[in-house]
DNA sequence: TTTGTAACTGGAAATCTTTTTCATCTTTTA
DNA sequence: TAAAAGATGAAAAAGATTTCCAGTTACAAA
C-alpha cells in the first residue's frame, strides 16, 4: 500500500536520451516514485537496498545527478541545508546572476493569489515560501552574451 | 572601492535581541555587507581573516546560524548544492509539508508579471527561478495543530 | 544467439564539510 | 569583586561527497 506509482513513465525519457536502463537506476527511480518527499542520496540508497541489496551509494549520487539533469527529479530546498548566505533587509527575495554570482534583492509581492491557488488545488495550508530568481545582472548583460 | 556598505544598520537588531556585538560577529557582518553574493562559511571565514586573522571557522558557522535566525541574512539556493530530491513531472513547483515532509506538485503559473517587475526594478534579465512553498499537508492540518 | 565495447557499477580511499568538545577568555550581573 | 552567563577558537570526531580503479553489464551489431 506504499507503492504510489511506478517509474515506467520515466523509461521513455531515459531511452530518448540514450541512457541505459540498469538495475541500480531502476531501483533509484522506484524509490523516488514510491516516496513523495525530499530524499538525500543516503536515504535513497538505504531505501533502495530493500529491493537491490548491492546498491552502491556512489551510484546513487551519479543517478540523482543524471536524473536531475534530465528533468526527471528536482531538488527540495526547504530542509534548510544550503550553506550559502547573503545579506538581506526586510521582506525580500533574491535575484542571482548565474554568470558572476551577484545577488540583488527585490520586494516580495504579488504572491497571495498564487498561495490561494495552491491551497485550493492541493489542500495545503500555506505558511511560507522560498522564491529565488536567476538571470543575468545588468553588467553581465552588457558585457557579451551567455 | 569594494566597501559597499557598513554593517551598522544591523547593530540595532542585535541590541534588540540582547546579542553581544563581538569582534568575530562584526567581522562576519562586514564581510556580508561588502560582498553581495552567496558566500559559504568557508568563504566568509577566509574573507574575514583579512581584517581579523584569528577568526575561527566554527565561530563563523555559529554567527551565520544566528544571523539567519534573526532575519539579517538569508540562504541562497541557486548554487545547486542541496542534496535533497523528489520526483517531478512537468513544469511544476513543490509544496512541502513542514510537519511530515510530504511533497506535492502544483503547476507553475502566474509568475510572468513578477518577472517583468523584477526586470524593471533590478535590470536583471530573468532566465529561471526557484519557487517552493511550505505549509501543512491536508493530513497534518486535520490531525491536530502545529 | 554470440560478441565487442562503451557505459556503468560499487568498494576503498581520499577529500571536503560540519558538528562536538573543551579549556579559555570576555562581558554582564549581583 | 565575585559569580554567572555568553562567546571564542583549536582540535578531534563525525558526516558527506568525490575520486580511483578493477571489474561487470546493457545493448547494438555481427
Ligand atoms: Mn537549497
Ligand atoms: Mn515556475
Ligand atoms: Zn552578473
Ligand atoms: Zn504533512
Amino acid at each position: 500500500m506504499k507503492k504510489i506509482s511506478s517509474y515506467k513513465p520515466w523509461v521513455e525519457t531515459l531511452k530518448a536520451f540514450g541512457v541505459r536502463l540498469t538495475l541500480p537506476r531502476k531501483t533509484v527511480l522506484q524509490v523516488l516514485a514510491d516516496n513523495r518527499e525530499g530524499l538525500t542520496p543516503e536515504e535513497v540508497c538505504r531505501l533502495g537496498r530493500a529491493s537491490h541489496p548491492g546498491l552502491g551509494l556512489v551510484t546513487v549520487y551519479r543517478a540523482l545527478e543524471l536524473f536531475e539533469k534530465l528533468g526527471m527529479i528536482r531538488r527540495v530546498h526547504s530542509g534548510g541545508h544550503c550553506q550559502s548566505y547573503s545579506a538581506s533587509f526586510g521582506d525580500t527575495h533574491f535575484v542571482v546572476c548565474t554568470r558572476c554570482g551577484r545577488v540583488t534583492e527585490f520586494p516580495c509581492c504579488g504572491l497571495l493569489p498564487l498561495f490561494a491557488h495552491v491551497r485550493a488545488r492541493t489542500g495545503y495550508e500555506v505558511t511560507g515560501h522560498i522564491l529565488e530568481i536567476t538571470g543575468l545582472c545588468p553588467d553581465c548583460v552588457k558585457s557579451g552574451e551567455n
Side-chain angles (χ1 to χ4, degrees), chain A:
Chain A
M1 196 169 263
K2 187 69 187 304
K3 290 273 180 298
I4 296 174
S5 69
S6 96
Y7 62 84
K8 294 288 160 59
W10 279 321
V11 173
E12 291 168 38
T13 306
L14 291 179
K15 282 183 180 166
F17 282 96
V19 169
R20 289 190 190 167
L21 192 55
T22 63
L23 177 54
R25 283 175 181 168
K26 282 184 207 169
T27 305
V28 169
L29 287 178
Q30 189 60 57
V31 166
L32 291 165
D34 290 344
N35 303 81
R36 292 308 173 75
E37 53 193 290
L39 295 176
T40 62
E42 180 65 42
E43 292 169 329
V44 171
C45 190
R46 187 170 44 73
L47 291 168
R49 281 178 171 161
S51 67
H52 173 18
L55 184 61
L57 180 56
V58 177
T59 302
V60 172
Y61 269 93
R62 288 187 285 229
L64 291 173
E65 185 184 16
L66 172 68
F67 299 155
E68 192 204 14
K69 202 161 59 191
L70 301 186
M72 300 161 65
I73 65 177
R74 198 171 293 182
R75 286 170 205 265
V76 177
H77 297 275
S78 303
H81 287 281
C82 278
Q83 290 287 16
S84 182
Y85 298 89
S86 188
S88 168
F89 300 90
D91 187 11
T92 66
H93 290 290
F94 293 143
V95 211
V96 184
C97 179
T98 51
R99 203 197 201 193
C100 73
R102 180 171 156 194
V103 170
T104 304
E105 290 183 278
F106 66 88
C108 177
C109 66
L111 291 179
L112 289 177
L114 177 68
F115 296 161
H117 185 254
V118 169
R119 175 170 194 162
R121 180 166 180 127
T122 66
Y124 276 67
E125 185 178 304
V126 175
T127 57
H129 63 282
I130 290 175
L131 171 62
E132 202 170 292
I133 291 179
T134 52
L136 290 174
C137 73
D139 290 352
C140 286
V141 169
K142 266 185 230 145
S143 64
E145 293 310 302
N146 177 316

